[in-house]
Amino acid sequence: MATFDQLSRPLRDLRVSVTDRCNFRCRYCMPREVFGREYRFLDRSEVLTYEEIERLVRIFVGLGVGKVRLTGGEPLIRRDLPVLVERLAAIDGLDDLTLTTNGVLLADRAAALEAAGLDRVTISLDSIEPASFRLISDSSIPVERVLEGIDAALAAGLAPVKVNVVLRRGINDDQILPMVRRFRGSGVVLRFIEYMDAGRSHGWELEQVVPAEEIIARIDQEFPLEAIEEPELGRVARRWRMKDGAGEVGVIASVSQPFCRGCTRARLSPEGRLYLCLFAGTGLDLRSPLRQGASDERLEALVRRCWAVRSDRYSELRSQDGGDEPRVEMSHIGG
Ligand code: SAM
Ligand code: SF4
Ligand code: SF4
């Protein structure tokens, strides 16, 4: 049964972050100064088990969720992820089960994930140029590993395979055209994302955002594009088709053209907190009632009530942010 919030937005999508840990230290997400040796990641006992995740996802599906995306931290470092995929894929009413990953471990796992029932995969890749890839991910893992992961996803049929690129001016905006050239005609859908002021652990500046309009104009000069029109509700990316038939590109203009009005997405953190917005400071604890023996009806009522009072639309109000409210980190709730 559909559940609506204060702005008449139905609850339709759920992002499930399965771990707060990652094998990268992307400077804009998990800077090493903050997420170093001293950082206290969640203990294993604090993180939801696969049984607990499955139970909660069933409840969300009962409330109208049809799409679930597994994320993290890096979801593929969680042991036996295909086991979770198999459990979730078996839920009646869940139409779309996807995964966002940095791709490092994907080459080995794509086939098993597909066999377990994963529908699609999105790989995050901010540069195909080895030196800048190393700088951005702050890791010695070569970019080839991610490219192999993308090939494995294509071979396994996890289609459409999407590649997300977060652009920052002066850091990787020189990658727009090389990436379009590399992936056009391959079946990969490239999506360029405006750098967001998510979390509080990095020094975001508006000047670093490359606006969607500029991204599209730069691509259009070399590869003429035409817009693909779509309804607004639940839409995140705006899509453009290459006129020569070599595929499409998308832009996620969270900063320059916010889409809160159509935002139908909730987020579940690794320790079972429900966040109603990417920029929320707090989340509703579902793990405590879950572990204290609450019935499905009770858990469902908690989620329904939480969504019913939701009025979040941070991106539309961005300029009013005082900068001192707490905010959940992107690496905790998975973007
Ligand atoms: N580790 C996985 C990955 O990188 O795909 C999943 C989690 S990661 C937090 C999910 C997405 O959030 C990635 O595509 C990443 O680039 C994006 N992201 C992280 N910080 C961001 C920011 N400040 N602005 C925009 N996107 C961001
Ligand atoms: Fe890890 Fe993904 Fe964040 Fe990079 S963006 S540090 S891969 S969670
Ligand atoms: Fe949704 Fe919050 Fe992002 Fe707006 S800012 S689109 S409400 S997650």
Side-chain angles (χ1 to χ4, degrees):
M1 196 207 307
T3 308
F4 294 90
D5 72 4
Q6 292 288 302
L7 302 175
S8 306
R9 298 169 296 188
L11 170 54
R12 284 199 180 158
D13 317 74
L14 181 67
R15 282 194 167 222
V16 180
S17 173
V18 296
T19 178
D20 59 340
R21 295 167 196 256
C22 187
N23 43 4
F24 274 1
R25 283 292 177 275
C26 303
R27 302 263 345 131
Y28 61 89
C29 179
M30 295 181 81
R32 220 171 266 284
E33 313 82 83
V34 179
F35 296 88
R37 277 176 200 280
E38 305 291 300
Y39 186 80
R40 189 188 164 277
F41 289 99
L42 293 169
D43 282 339
R44 201 158 158 199
S45 61
E46 294 174 283
V47 174
L48 295 184
T49 64
Y50 287 170
E51 288 78 7
E52 289 170 333
I53 294 175
E54 180 192 350
R55 185 158 167 226
L56 288 177
V57 169
R58 275 187 195 281
I59 289 166
F60 277 92
V61 169
L63 287 167
V65 164
K67 279 182 171 186
V68 169
R69 177 173 295 279
L70 301 176
T71 176
E74 174 44 45
L76 292 181
I77 64 174
R78 180 110 184 226
R79 198 184 302 164
D80 299 330
L81 196 71
V83 172
L84 176 65
V85 168
E86 196 167 356
R87 281 168 172 265
L88 300 184
I91 297 176
D92 256 354
L94 181 53
D95 309 320
D96 195 24
L97 181 58
T98 63
L99 169 80
T100 298
T101 171
N102 61 25
V104 169
L105 299 172
L106 192 57
D108 291 342
R109 320 240 161 120
L113 289 164
E114 196 280 331
L118 190 73
D119 292 311
R120 297 183 291 120
V121 72
T122 299
I123 297 114
S124 307
L125 175 61
D126 296 337
S127 173
I128 49 169
E129 200 277 305
S132 86
F133 176 81
R134 255 198 316 276
L135 274 180
I136 294 167
S137 61
D138 197 3
S139 143
S140 55
I141 299 170
V143 66
E144 282 72 29
R145 289 272 289 279
V146 181
L147 297 171
E148 285 160 18
I150 295 171
D151 288 343
L154 287 166
L158 289 166
V161 174
K162 292 180 183 164
V163 169
N164 278 359
V165 189
V166 175
L167 286 177
R168 284 176 298 156
R169 197 178 293 287
I171 308 263
N172 65 336
D173 58 329
D174 61 346
Q175 287 293 301
I176 299 175
L177 286 168
M179 288 190 89
V180 174
R181 288 184 202 122
R182 162 107 199 187
F183 290 111
R184 56 186 250 106
S186 70
V188 164
V189 175
L190 261 186
R191 301 194 313 172
F192 293 98
I193 302 180
E194 289 179 355
Y195 179 38
M196 285 185 279
D197 47 338
R200 291 281 187 212
S201 63
H202 57 85
W204 180 87
E205 286 173 7
L206 186 59
E207 293 71 47
Q208 287 186 302
V209 177
V210 186
E213 230 173 281
E214 178 183 331
I215 300 167
I216 290 302
R218 278 161 74 172
I219 301 172
D220 186 57
Q221 276 193 349
E222 185 167 328
F223 303 108
L225 298 173
E226 60 191 2
I228 302 174
E229 297 303 335
E230 281 180 303
E232 202 175 335
L233 189 67
R235 184 183 75 183
V236 176
R238 295 188 38 226
R239 298 163 57 207
W240 304 78
R241 185 183 298 118
M242 285 184 231
K243 285 187 179 162
D244 66 2
E248 67 171 77
V249 292
V251 285
I252 304 186
S254 351
V255 178
S256 67
Q257 299 159 31
F259 38 80
C260 300
R261 223 155 303 168
C263 179
T264 56
R265 182 175 293 173
R267 295 174 160 86
L268 187 64
S269 72
E271 78 278 42
R273 285 187 176 274
L274 173 62
Y275 288 87
L276 301 179
C277 176
L278 191 49
F279 297 88
T282 54
L284 173 74
D285 173 22
L286 293 174
R287 190 189 63 196
S288 300
L290 186 72
R291 291 193 178 168
Q292 286 157 10
S295 65
D296 283 358
E297 292 69 28
R298 168 94 185 113
L299 291 167
E300 186 186 295
L302 284 172
V303 175
R304 186 189 291 283
R305 234 179 288 150
C306 183
W307 189 264
V309 298
R310 173 184 192 246
S311 60
D312 302 68
R313 51 189 191 102
Y314 173 83
S315 290
E316 290 180 352
L317 306 172
R318 172 167 279 115
S319 56
Q320 295 167 27
D321 176 47
D324 43 11
E325 301 286 314
R327 215 186 261 172
V328 67
E329 291 299 328
M330 198 78 153
S331 57
H332 202 79
I333 53 169

